[in-house]
Amino acid sequence: MSNSSPIDQTVNHLFRQASGKMVAVLVKIFGPEHYTLVEDVVQDALLSGLETWKFNGIPDNPEAWLFRVARNKAIDMIRRKKHQYNIDFSDPEQLPPSAEYMLSSTFDQYWQDQAIRDDFLGMMFACCHPDISPENQVTFILKSLCGFSTREVARAFLTSEDTISKRLYRTKEFFRANNIRPHIPPPAQLSGRLDAVLNSLYLLFNEGYSATQHEQLVREDIIAQAIYLCQSLLDHAHTRQPRTCALMALFCFHAARIHSRLQADGTIIPLSRQDRRQWDQALITTGNEWLNKAASGATLSPFHLEAAIAYEHCIAPGYAATNWKMILTYYDALLQLTKDPVILLNRSVALLEYAGAPAALQSLEALQGHRQLSRYYLYHAVLGEIYKSMNEKEKAVACFEQARQLTTAQQEQQFLSAKIADT
Amino acid sequence: MQEFLLIIRGGKDPGNASPQEMQQTLQHWQKWMGELIASGNYIGGQNLEPAGLTVLNSTTVTDRPLVEGKELVAGYLLLRANNAAEAAELTKGCPGLAQGCTIEIRAIRQLHLS
């Protein structure tokens, strides 16, 4: 995928995307308590497509072809096994109370374009229910809406299939116990629920963006999924909010730089030494367009500010020529919105460049003794960087060493070892 | 030029393949078939449903094919090639081989002797 942007990747994901949409519609039809049945119908439809298209080629509208197969299989299931699955025909949310011979026309309504889009988003909201933990949210999104297998999700999160299976099981049980169905929240609740969805996508993107120990393809795959899901939010009038646009802009600006962040062997290249000619200008332009659209509302979300910071980095001709003053302003605004110590940490890096080491050091004093941060390798790495620029070599090396002990990622350890040797 | 029937047996994709793996399998098939079409070797072919009937004699019809699993014919192709060796060479590229299917090549007997 090195020659195409993560946005274009979606055309190569016919099976995955069709899978996600079919899961959403079928969960609506059968209810979350029949999730295994949903997965069976989807798998069956995909296999029919594969076997037929091997010999005959892909039809003009393969997705519609798969939906038709899934629709027919679902009708079959209900006709043959309705007693076994005990589907509640009287539940108006689940199936309209139509006579069985009406099934066919009732089912057609489920597979209208707009209904599919609604269910897909509805499923995203269901996955991001506030009572589901963030890690379970992203796990279930990848599995249900992105068509990842359990093994593929495990690889994406660098964990075991067993762990992923347990997370999926817990979410399915939660759906079942609370009768959670795919649906877009009513206007009164939409704002808060959308925040949860956006945060989940942000988390997913970061998983792909910052997990340096991943192979390149896996990282880009996760990034492409986050962008795909964000795009589906932007395609819908209800969820196309300014902060959704801002999140997309942020994704674009970060994704534009993924190829320059790591060496072939996986070693991290710091921003100051990245080859800026490798940055994807088309993605930066797309990101800028989304950032402009994000400016339409009255609200300023953290995504707006993070995107604005990323934008400043993208347009800077070089590291030293970066508009650090502007970036500092954005960080200050960000701190008004959230008291996240990691933001204060990142701000100190900008401060180091703009106002020098003493100012940066002073700003970090507020964080001294912060328990979580003292275990965060980046905190010590930044401190080391500050001491280094003050020529306090011993202190710098001590900080880099502490940072090296705190990270488990091999690439980060190598990076810090190089720093120590260089100090 | 001679015509050959390729009888593809077994090797149906495992039910637990992920959507992305299916996509890749399909892409391999498209590449192989595309090359056969571009080179003029391809005449036609179809995939077969696993279900079927077998007429054993004028009074008995069973409701399934005679064989199952690896022996079951999954599909057929008609190819044009100079000789059996060339047909076999073309067949070696079939992605189904990696999934455990076997392919029998049979020359179609000509009506007109050349």
Side-chain angles (χ1 to χ4, degrees):
Chain A
M1 110 158 220
S2 51
N3 292 324
S4 60
S5 82
I7 290 182
D8 301 333
Q9 269 302 295
T10 51
V11 294
N12 295 325
H13 290 315
L14 163 66
F15 279 71
R16 274 187 176 173
Q17 293 186 3
S19 168
K21 291 174 189 170
M22 288 190 285
V23 165
V25 175
L26 291 166
V27 168
K28 169 93 159 230
I29 292 173
F30 289 113
E33 61 274 29
H34 300 297
Y35 197 81
T36 311
L37 171 65
V38 166
E39 287 190 319
D40 287 348
V41 172
V42 170
Q43 188 73 2
D44 249 27
L46 294 177
L47 278 173
S48 302
L50 174 62
E51 293 303 325
T52 314
W53 301 342
K54 271 181 187 175
F55 283 81
N56 300 322
I58 301 178
D60 284 344
N61 191 344
E63 209 172 54
W65 193 101
L66 292 173
F67 292 167
R68 194 80 192 160
V69 176
R71 168 197 174 277
N72 293 344
K73 282 185 194 295
I75 291 179
D76 252 23
M77 288 287 183
I78 288 183
R79 288 210 168 118
R80 283 192 290 120
K81 298 185 171 177
K82 64 170 189 266
H83 303 295
Q84 182 181 337
Y85 289 112
N86 198 19
I87 285 167
D88 182 5
F89 280 84
S90 65
D91 180 352
E93 268 281 284
Q94 199 166 336
L95 273 181
S98 55
E100 205 187 323
Y101 64 83
M102 291 279 287
L103 262 181
S104 190
S105 57
T106 304
F107 262 52
D108 284 339
Q109 292 165 22
Y110 284 114
W111 299 94
Q112 305 284 340
D113 283 350
Q114 188 58 47
I116 296 170
R117 263 199 296 273
D118 286 359
D119 289 344
F120 188 81
L121 289 196
M123 192 67 195
M124 231 193 281
F125 279 104
C127 291
C128 298
H129 192 282
D131 291 340
I132 302 174
S133 77
E135 61 181 12
N136 286 359
Q137 290 177 8
V138 285
T139 300
F140 208 78
I141 285 178
L142 278 186
K143 181 71 164 59
S144 62
L145 294 179
C146 300
F148 276 47
S149 66
T150 305
R151 189 158 48 88
E152 286 162 349
V153 181
R155 204 168 49 188
F157 293 138
L158 295 166
T159 180
S160 68
E161 283 181 54
D162 207 36
T163 305
I164 295 303
S165 296
K166 279 180 195 150
R167 285 188 198 170
L168 293 170
Y169 176 78
R170 275 197 288 269
T171 309
K172 277 183 253 184
E173 279 303 299
F174 176 81
F175 283 166
R176 188 201 310 266
N178 296 282
N179 195 24
I180 304 292
R181 301 186 170 275
H183 89 127
I184 298 171
Q189 295 164 19
L190 186 67
S191 185
R193 296 291 309 276
L194 180 62
D195 279 339
V197 173
L198 295 178
N199 282 332
S200 201
L201 297 191
Y202 180 78
L203 209 79
L204 182 64
F205 185 92
N206 272 340
E207 190 61 43
Y209 190 68
S210 53
T212 48
Q213 60 270 58
H214 271 318
E215 45 186 307
Q216 181 98 340
L217 275 176
V218 177
R219 287 192 299 121
E220 291 181 15
D221 196 10
I222 308 171
I223 286 174
Q225 296 307 320
I227 289 178
Y228 164 65
L229 294 166
C230 192
Q231 184 64 52
S232 60
L233 290 173
L234 290 167
D235 289 342
H236 203 289
H238 285 98
T239 45
R240 190 190 171 117
Q241 307 273 346
R243 59 194 191 281
T244 319
C245 300
L247 184 64
M248 187 57 137
L250 178 61
F251 286 172
C252 290
F253 294 141
H254 281 328
R257 294 183 280 156
I258 44 175
H259 290 128
S260 60
R261 279 179 72 242
L262 296 181
Q263 281 172 20
D265 64 356
T267 316
I268 306 161
I269 308 172
L271 182 60
S272 58
R273 269 185 266 144
Q274 285 176 18
D275 178 3
R276 289 169 188 245
R277 288 165 304 180
Q278 276 189 43
W279 292 359
D280 187 331
Q281 291 304 321
L283 263 180
I284 293 175
T285 307
T286 308
N288 197 24
E289 283 162 15
W290 284 117
L291 194 55
N292 286 334
K293 287 174 186 143
S296 65
T299 52
L300 192 64
S301 71
F303 300 138
H304 282 88
L305 293 161
E306 285 193 43
I309 292 167
Y311 172 73
E312 286 300 333
H313 285 302
C314 278
I315 57 160
Y319 188 73
T322 307
N323 191 343
W324 295 110
K325 189 179 179 200
M326 196 58 139
I327 289 177
L328 269 178
T329 317
Y330 292 139
Y331 272 123
D332 289 341
L334 205 47
L335 282 173
Q336 297 291 316
L337 294 179
T338 160
K339 291 283 170 237
D340 190 344
V342 175
I343 292 169
L344 200 61
L345 183 63
N346 288 332
R347 179 182 175 275
S348 71
V349 177
L351 203 59
L352 174 66
E353 298 303 328
Y354 179 66
L361 196 60
Q362 201 187 354
S363 83
L364 282 183
E365 267 169 14
L367 295 175
Q368 224 165 25
H370 192 282
R371 200 190 295 166
Q372 258 175 315
L373 218 53
S374 64
R375 285 200 297 262
Y376 185 39
Y377 85 97
L378 212 53
Y379 170 70
H380 299 280
V382 169
L383 263 183
E385 204 63 51
I386 294 171
Y387 283 127
K388 191 182 164 190
S389 72
M390 291 167 88
N391 246 335
E392 299 227 32
K393 288 188 182 178
E394 268 174 40
K395 280 185 179 172
V397 168
C399 288
F400 287 139
E401 265 169 1
Q402 177 120 38
R404 189 171 59 179
Q405 279 170 20
L406 286 168
T407 177
T408 49
Q410 207 186 347
Q411 281 85 357
E412 279 157 5
Q413 287 169 347
Q414 279 167 6
F415 177 72
L416 288 159
S417 297
K419 277 265 174 216
I420 292 168
D422 196 34
T423 302
Chain B
M1 277 287 187
Q2 241 183 314
E3 289 182 6
F4 294 89
L5 174 68
L6 271 56
I7 305 160
I8 302 169
R9 288 197 172 87
K12 195 176 182 301
D13 280 273
N16 56 9
S18 75
Q20 194 62 8
E21 286 160 353
M22 290 191 224
Q23 178 103 30
Q24 273 157 12
T25 303
L26 182 61
Q27 277 162 357
H28 294 150
W29 274 83
Q30 282 183 292
K31 184 168 179 290
W32 182 60
M33 294 283 250
E35 283 164 5
L36 289 176
I37 291 166
S39 62
N41 295 104
Y42 176 87
I43 301 170
Q46 293 288 336
N47 178 231
L48 303 180
E49 295 275 3
L53 305 173
T54 306
V55 181
L56 291 171
N57 53 51
S58 59
T59 54
T60 316
V61 179
T62 64
D63 60 356
R64 58 178 182 83
L66 267 188
V67 293
E68 285 177 346
K70 291 180 77 167
E71 299 300 313
L72 190 69
V73 177
Y76 71 92
L77 281 177
L78 274 175
L79 294 187
R80 202 180 279 119
N82 285 312
N83 49 51
E86 193 196 2
E89 209 46 49
L90 293 168
T91 304
K92 282 181 187 170
C94 177
L97 294 170
Q99 245 114 28
C101 64
T102 56
I103 303 176
E104 181 178 334
I105 303 172
R106 303 289 298 271
I108 292 173
R109 191 168 276 168
Q110 314 251 293
L111 175 61
H112 302 288
L113 298 175
S114 55

